[in-house]
Amino acid sequence: MRRLSGERTKLVFEKLEKYIGENIKNLIDRPDSTYCFREKKDRVYYVSEKILKLADTVNPDNLVSLGICLGKFTKSGKFQLHITALHYLAPYAQHKLWVKSSAEQQFLYGHNVLKSGLGRITENTGRYQGVVVYSMNDIPLGFGVMAKSTLDCKNADPMAVICFHQADIGEYLRSEDTLL
């Protein structure tokens, strides 16, 4: 596990800022411990510094992963969030979108959110803003990027795409065969 380079740290923070804004500080300096980001094979891990010190006793060749995998760097050099980051980012999300129960299943199958499936949305959410998608029962379902701003959503056609799908908790089931 190695530290992220300056350029890669910037890419990770830009992606996180898209979803949680200034709350990145709360993600790193938590009440229980201080957390940091480490990289191994283009994957970025979110790990406590206490655990990181304990991991120094393990041979790096024998270490598969450490902490929570937040995402990975693509071959083109962009950072992509994984669904495993949802549990850590949802409490700090600045912009949220709630989907109706009739649209939950479609989102969990990897489809975009349509206006007809929109339950409610955080005020002043801009176009191309990162959002955390929730069920109407306040259960985080995944990530998305807004296709329209809050104001544009009010006047949109019911079949218009409101939020582009990025990741959802249904990926665990859909990718089950490829993980084994």
Side-chain angles (χ1 to χ4, degrees), residues 19 30 83 88 117 125:
Y19 291 94
R30 292 176 35 176
I83 193 61
Y88 295 93
T125 302

Side-chain angles (χ1 to χ4, degrees), residues 86-127:
L86 180 64
H87 176 70
Y88 295 93
L89 300 184
Y92 303 115
Q94 288 186 324
H95 300 284
K96 301 175 184 179
L97 179 137
W98 288 266
V99 293
K100 295 178 183 175
S101 57
S102 59
E104 270 183 47
Q105 188 173 16
Q106 290 301 312
F107 182 76
L108 294 177
Y109 283 159
H111 299 288
N112 298 328
V113 177
L114 303 177
K115 168 73 166 34
S116 60
L118 178 65
R120 59 185 175 157
I121 188 171
T122 308
E123 287 296 321
N124 300 325
T125 302
R127 189 173 189 189

Side-chain angles (χ1 to χ4, degrees), residues 21-35:
E22 296 295 320
N23 291 328
I24 295 174
K25 294 176 230 158
N26 298 337
L27 196 63
I28 295 171
D29 293 325
R30 292 176 35 176
D32 56 344
S33 180
T34 302
Y35 282 70

Side-chain angles (χ1 to χ4, degrees), residues 95-166:
H95 300 284
K96 301 175 184 179
L97 179 137
W98 288 266
V99 293
K100 295 178 183 175
S101 57
S102 59
E104 270 183 47
Q105 188 173 16
Q106 290 301 312
F107 182 76
L108 294 177
Y109 283 159
H111 299 288
N112 298 328
V113 177
L114 303 177
K115 168 73 166 34
S116 60
L118 178 65
R120 59 185 175 157
I121 188 171
T122 308
E123 287 296 321
N124 300 325
T125 302
R127 189 173 189 189
Y128 303 122
Q129 176 67 48
V131 293
V132 174
V133 179
Y134 286 86
S135 69
M136 291 304 283
N137 298 329
D138 286 332
I139 298 171
L141 300 175
F143 302 113
V145 175
M146 292 299 295
K148 298 183 181 298
S149 67
T150 305
L151 296 173
D152 294 339
C153 289
K154 293 176 183 177
N155 301 326
D157 179 55
M159 296 308 288
V161 174
I162 298 300
C163 179
F164 297 120
H165 176 272
Q166 295 292 311

